[in-house]
Amino acid sequence: MAGGELPERPWALPAHQVAEQLGTDVASGLTAEQVEQRRARFGRNQLTETEPISVWRILVNQFKSVIVGLLALATIVSVVLGDYPEAMAVGVVIVINTVIGFATEIRAMRSMESLRDLASVTANVLRDGDLRAVPAEDLVPGDVVVFEGGDVIAADLRLLDGSKVEADESALTGESAPVSKRPEPLATETVLGDRANLLHKGTAITRGAGQGIVFATGIRTELGRISELVEQATQPETPLQRQLQELGRRLLWITLGVAALIGVIGGLSGRTTRETVETAIALAVAAIPEGLPIVATVALARGMRRMARRNVLIEKLSAVETLGSVGVILTDKTGTLTENRMVLTRLVLAETTIEFTGGYRSRGELTQDGVSVERLPPDVERSLMIASLCNNSSLGDDDENPVGDPTEVALLMGAAKAGIHRAHLLAELPEEREIAFDADLRMMATIHRRDGGFLVAVKGAPDSVLVACDRLAVGEEDRELNDDDRSEWLKVNDQLADEGLRVLALATRSVDDAGVDPYGQLVFLGLAALIDPPRDDVREAIEDCMQAGIDIVMITGDQPATASYIADALGLDGGHDRLVTGRELAAGSIDSVRMLDARVFARTSPEQKLDVIAARQAAGDSVAMIGDGVNDAPALKKADIGVAMGIRGTQVAKEASDVVVQDDRFGSIVHAVKEGRVIFDNIRKFVLYLLSSNLSEIIVVGVGAMLALPLPLLPLQILYLNLITDVFPALALGAGQGEPGVMDRPPRRPDEGVLARRHWYAIGSFGFMMSVPVLGVLAYAVLGLGVSNQVATTMSFLTLAFAQLWHVFNMASPESPILHNDVTGNGWVWGAIALSAGLLLLAVYVPVLSGVMNVATLDPRQWLIVLGASLTPLVLGQALRPLRRRYF
C-alpha cells in the first residue's frame, strides 16, 4: 500500500498491524517517494489556519452600537440644518468612544495562532534507512519517529517499542503525573487518557526512549481536533452587550416617537416649521444618553486596571462585567485547584503511619496521630533512606531547585523533611548499579556498596513489589511475609488509591554480589502515598464563592478517585451520587438533573467539557471556565467567560481565554468576581442616573413645547448638559468601590437587564421630580419676573443642570446610611460636581461660550431661585427612601 491507510483505532491493534496498514517498513522507514505521495494526500502536519481579525474589522465593530448609530444620525441632521457646533460636539463624543473601545479590543488574542506554535519543533525520523531531523510540519502518516526524554512529540504516534517511556500529558488529558507507555494493544473502548500505547502531538517525553509510527498528522491529531473545537466554539454575547443593545433599540423607538409627537404638537400649536424642527431636534438629543458609551467603556476599562493590580489580566472589556454575573465556575483540577506537582503525604509501615506537612517544600514536619515526631523511628528512617537511594532525581542547590521525575522529587522532599538527604547517603553508600524502571515489571532498583557488601533499594507498584518480597519489616525486626500479609497490604493499597493517592511500595535487601537479580527475596518496608495536593488558598476561595451563591464544579481528565478526593479536601461534595465520569457521559446515561447537580466530572474529554458548559448555559447559568491545558482551550472559549492560569497555563489556554490570572491563585478569581459585581452595580447606577436625567429633559422640552412659553432648553444646551453634568458625575459613579456585602448575595441571572422594572419606575419618578421645578422656574421667570425669553431659558437650563448634579446623591442604595454610603464616600463624585459646576459657570460668564449657547447672565436673585429649585429633587429623593426600599 504505497499511499498507506490510516488505522481507525490504532491503540486496539498490534504495532506491526498498524505499520502494515500504513504501508511502512519499520526497519528503514518511508522512502522519499512515499513521503511526497502522502504529503500530497494528507497535507502538511499543520493545524488549520484561520484568518486573523483585521485592524479595520475591529475598528468597524466600534460603530455597531445602536446608541452610536443614533448619535451619528443626530450629527447628520444637525449638519443638514446648519447647526455645525452641535454636529461637531456630537461627533467628538463618537470619536472618543471609538478610540477607547478600539485601543482596548486591539489587544485581544488569537488562540489558533498559539495552537500552530506548538508545531514549531523538529522530529528525528527514519527515512530511506537513515535517521534525520525534519521540521514537524514535514511529518506524514507512516513516518517512523525516534524519540527520547525531553522531546516534544510532533504528531500522533503509535508506540512501536520503547524503554521506560513516560510522557507528560497533563496539558492534553489533565493527568497530573507522567504516564507510562508500552506498545501492547488495548481494548477498543479505551478512553483517551488510558491509551498507554499512543503518544500525542504537543505532549512531552519525560523519561525513556523509543520509536513510534505516525498515524495522524495536522488536524487529524488529538491536538488538531481540539483546535477545531476551539474554532467552532462560539462565545455568546455578554449580558451587558445584550442589554445595552436592547436599551439602544428602545431609545431608537423613543426618539422616533418623540420626533413624531413634536411634529404633531408643533402643527397644532401654530409654531413655525423652524421652531418645530428645533424642538424635535432638542427632544431627540435629550432622548439619547450621549455619555453612555463613553461612561460604560471607561468604567469597564477602570475595572480592568483595578483587576490588573490584583494580578487578573482582562483581555476583553466585556469580560469585566461578565464576571459579575457568573453563577457557575467550572474548574480544571490539575494546576488550577492543585499544585500540579507530586507531594509525599503519607508513609504507611507495619507498625507506624507517618504524615508529612509543608507541601511542595523540603522543609516541613513529620507527624504521627497528629503529634509531631521528635525522634525518627528506625523503620521510618530506613524506609525514607530506601526512597532516597532508589531515585535518580535531585533537589538541586539548597533543596530548592528540583530536577527529575515529579514522583521521585516528592520522595526526596519527604525524606529531606526528616533530615535525610540523598547526597549525604550516596557519600556513605555509593551507587554501584541502577536497574531502570521496567514498564513490565513496574519496579526499579539501585544497588549501593555498604560494609563490604551491597544494599539493594527497590520501589515500584505495590502488587509487583509484594510478589518479589518474602519478608516484612515490623519495627526494627524482619519476619516472614505470608499470603495473608500480602492480601492485607493490597487492601491498604486499595484504600489509599480510593483516596486519590498514588501509591509506591518500598523494599530492600542486603547482598554480596552487585550483579544479583534485585527483584527477589526482598524485605517489604511499606507504602509511600503521594498526591498532587490542593493549593493553599483554594478552599477559602471556594467557600467565598459558595457564600456568594456561585456553584463550583470540578471538571478534569484525571481519575475519578483522585478527583473525588481533591473535591472533598476542598469542601466540594464529590460523593458518588455527585460525580460523573466521561464514560457515563459518552454512554448518554446521565439525565439533566444529575448533570446539573454534579459537582465533579472526571475522566472527561474536551468535547464533554463543552457538553457540560452547554447544559449549564441552557439552564440559564452564566458560566466561567477555569483551565490551564491545551485540552481546556475549547471549553475556555465556549464558556461565557474563560479564565486561564498565567504561570502554569499553556499559551493556547491563555489565548482562548478572556481573563488570565497572573499569579495562578484561585482567590484572585474571587476578587475578580467581586470587582465584576461592583462594576455592574456602578453601571446600573450611572445608567439609572443618565436615563432619569435625560427623561427630565424630555419632559421639560415636551411639556414646554405645549405651553405658550419659550423653549425651556435649546438643542445645544441639552447637548452641553448631557456632556458635562451627565458624563462627569456618571464617570464618578462608575469609580465607586461598591456597597458592603456585595459578595453576600446570589449572582444575578444573565437574562436580568441592566434595568429591571423597578428601575424604570425609579427613572420615571426621578425624571418627574426634576422636571417639575424646572418648568415652575420657567413659568415664574416669564410670568412672575417678566424677564426676557433668553433669561427665562437660561434659568430653566441652569435649574435642570444643578438638579442633575445634586441628583447623583440619589443613586446611593436606599438601604445605606444617608450621609455615609458608596456615593458620598466617593471622592470622584465630589470632584465631578465641582468640575461640572465650574463648566456651567463658564457657559454663563465666558462670552464666546455663552454666545454660542445663547445663555444670559443672571442676577443674584435669579441665582437663588435656580439653586433653591434645583435642590428639590434631592430633598424629595432622600425623603422617599423608605418608599424606594419597598418598591424600587
Side-chain angles (χ1 to χ4, degrees), residues 45-310:
N45 182 30
Q46 293 175 323
L47 304 183
T48 301
E49 297 192 8
T50 56
E51 182 181 353
I53 299 176
S54 68
V55 173
W56 292 110
R57 186 184 300 178
I58 295 175
L59 181 62
V60 169
N61 288 342
Q62 308 307 311
F63 294 93
K64 292 184 178 180
S65 166
V66 175
I67 292 177
V68 171
L70 289 173
L71 291 174
L73 180 61
T75 304
I76 294 171
V77 173
S78 297
V79 170
V80 171
L81 295 176
D83 294 328
Y84 299 114
E86 180 179 319
M88 185 177 298
V90 180
V92 167
V93 175
I94 297 174
V95 170
I96 293 174
N97 180 72
T98 300
V99 169
I100 293 174
F102 176 78
T104 304
E105 294 295 337
I106 197 68
R107 300 178 62 248
M109 301 281 186
R110 301 176 179 94
S111 59
M112 289 302 295
E113 292 179 358
S114 274
L115 286 166
R116 289 196 298 274
D117 288 343
L118 289 179
S120 301
V121 296
T122 59
N124 293 316
V125 182
L126 194 62
R127 287 181 179 171
D128 288 318
D130 296 325
L131 187 65
R132 62 189 71 174
V134 301
E137 57 266 26
D138 287 345
L139 290 178
V140 296
D143 263 328
V144 176
V145 176
V146 179
F147 58 83
E148 61 183 6
D151 286 353
V152 175
I153 300 301
D156 282 3
L157 310 180
R158 171 62 164 87
L159 191 63
L160 295 173
D161 61 70
S163 174
K164 291 66 173 176
V165 178
E166 292 187 0
D168 179 3
E169 297 183 337
S170 59
L172 184 67
T173 67
E175 188 79 40
S176 54
V179 180
S180 295
K181 297 292 182 177
R182 60 180 66 187
E184 289 78 17
L186 302 168
T188 303
E189 65 274 12
T190 304
V191 297
L192 175 64
D194 294 332
R195 294 171 189 167
N197 55 17
L198 301 186
L199 294 168
H200 295 290
K201 180 181 177 70
T203 62
I205 302 300
T206 59
R207 187 178 190 176
Q211 289 185 326
I213 186 168
V214 176
F215 67 86
T217 57
I219 206 66
R220 298 178 183 86
T221 64
E222 285 295 324
L223 183 63
R225 191 170 55 82
I226 290 175
S227 75
E228 283 193 318
L229 292 175
V230 173
E231 185 179 0
Q232 294 167 5
T234 56
Q235 189 175 46
E237 282 188 317
T238 69
L240 184 63
Q241 287 173 324
R242 293 193 300 267
Q243 292 155 13
L244 289 182
Q245 289 293 334
E246 176 61 26
L247 180 59
R249 284 189 288 270
R250 290 188 182 186
L251 292 175
L252 173 63
W253 289 109
I254 290 174
T255 303
L256 294 175
V258 164
L261 179 63
I262 289 304
V264 173
I265 293 175
L268 295 177
S269 61
R271 291 183 182 268
T272 65
T273 302
R274 178 76 179 184
E275 289 176 324
T276 301
V277 172
E278 285 184 350
T279 304
I281 292 175
L283 272 170
V285 172
I288 304 172
E290 291 89 348
L292 182 57
I294 296 176
V295 176
T297 303
V298 171
L300 292 173
R302 189 174 187 279
M304 176 187 290
R305 291 194 298 273
R306 282 206 301 241
M307 290 185 190
R309 290 195 290 269
R310 292 275 195 174

Side-chain angles (χ1 to χ4, degrees), residues 472-484:
L472 171 67
V474 181
E476 298 184 49
E477 304 294 331
D478 299 341
R479 69 166 175 79
E480 181 184 355
L481 178 72
N482 55 44
D483 290 340
D484 289 339

Side-chain angles (χ1 to χ4, degrees), residues 684-732:
R684 176 170 277 173
K685 284 177 183 177
F686 68 62
V687 169
L688 181 63
Y689 172 77
L690 286 174
L691 294 187
S692 56
S693 297
N694 283 23
L695 179 61
S696 66
E697 296 165 8
I698 293 173
I699 294 174
V700 165
V701 174
V703 174
M706 292 184 286
L707 303 175
L709 294 172
L711 242 108
L713 299 170
L714 301 179
L716 206 54
Q717 290 174 352
I718 294 176
L719 189 60
Y720 190 80
L721 195 63
N722 286 358
L723 291 177
I724 302 302
T725 65
D726 281 10
V727 171
F728 294 116
L731 282 173

Side-chain angles (χ1 to χ4, degrees), residues 299-377:
L300 292 173
R302 189 174 187 279
M304 176 187 290
R305 291 194 298 273
R306 282 206 301 241
M307 290 185 190
R309 290 195 290 269
R310 292 275 195 174
N311 293 308
V312 178
L313 179 64
I314 306 295
E315 295 295 342
K316 300 175 184 177
L317 274 181
S318 56
V320 178
E321 178 272 335
T322 309
L323 278 166
S325 68
V326 167
V328 178
I329 294 179
L330 300 177
T331 175
D332 181 39
K333 177 188 72 68
T334 306
T336 303
L337 299 180
T338 65
E339 297 279 0
N340 195 21
R341 44 197 180 188
M342 302 303 291
V343 170
L344 178 61
T345 183
R346 201 178 309 170
L347 188 64
V348 182
L349 309 180
E351 292 185 339
T352 310
T353 297
I354 297 294
E355 295 188 344
F356 296 77
T357 67
Y360 190 74
R361 289 183 292 274
S362 59
R363 296 170 180 81
E365 280 190 326
L366 277 66
T367 64
Q368 185 176 7
D369 297 326
V371 179
S372 178
V373 175
E374 300 295 336
R375 184 177 178 181
L376 201 63

Side-chain angles (χ1 to χ4, degrees), residues 509-713:
R509 70 182 283 203
S510 295
V511 296
D512 296 327
D513 180 7
V516 70
D517 178 7
Y519 303 130
Q521 300 179 342
L522 293 170
V523 178
F524 187 82
L525 299 177
L527 302 175
L530 306 96
I531 194 169
D532 178 12
R535 297 173 63 87
D536 293 338
D537 64 319
V538 171
R539 186 180 180 97
E540 181 181 355
I542 287 177
E543 290 174 351
D544 291 341
C545 287
M546 291 179 173
Q547 176 68 27
I550 301 172
D551 286 343
I552 306 296
V553 179
M554 179 196 300
I555 184 164
T556 178
D558 214 338
Q559 300 289 347
T562 304
S564 181
Y565 175 82
I566 294 296
D568 291 339
L570 294 174
L572 297 174
D573 182 1
H576 176 73
D577 59 334
R578 306 194 82 182
L579 184 147
V580 173
T581 66
R583 191 182 298 274
E584 290 176 303
L585 291 173
S589 59
I590 303 300
D591 58 31
S592 60
V593 174
R594 190 175 172 203
M595 175 81 84
L596 299 178
D597 189 54
R599 288 296 171 267
V600 177
F601 291 87
R603 222 60 179 148
T604 53
S605 67
E607 295 97 332
Q608 289 168 340
K609 292 181 181 183
L610 296 180
D611 293 339
V612 174
I613 290 173
R616 297 304 301 239
Q617 288 174 333
D621 293 317
S622 181
V623 180
M625 174 69 200
I626 306 173
D628 59 1
V630 174
N631 61 322
D632 297 316
L636 289 168
K637 187 175 179 182
K638 171 70 175 176
D640 295 280
I641 186 161
V643 182
M645 293 302 185
I647 299 175
R648 293 186 180 86
T650 61
Q651 192 66 16
V652 176
K654 294 176 188 177
E655 300 206 8
S657 300
D658 309 292
V659 177
V660 176
V661 181
Q662 294 176 299
D663 59 1
D664 280 16
R665 292 175 60 85
F666 197 92
S668 297
I669 300 169
V670 180
H671 290 302
V673 170
K674 178 181 179 181
E675 188 67 36
R677 291 190 177 190
V678 170
I679 289 294
F680 184 82
D681 286 350
N682 290 341
I683 289 175
R684 176 170 277 173
K685 284 177 183 177
F686 68 62
V687 169
L688 181 63
Y689 172 77
L690 286 174
L691 294 187
S692 56
S693 297
N694 283 23
L695 179 61
S696 66
E697 296 165 8
I698 293 173
I699 294 174
V700 165
V701 174
V703 174
M706 292 184 286
L707 303 175
L709 294 172
L711 242 108
L713 299 170

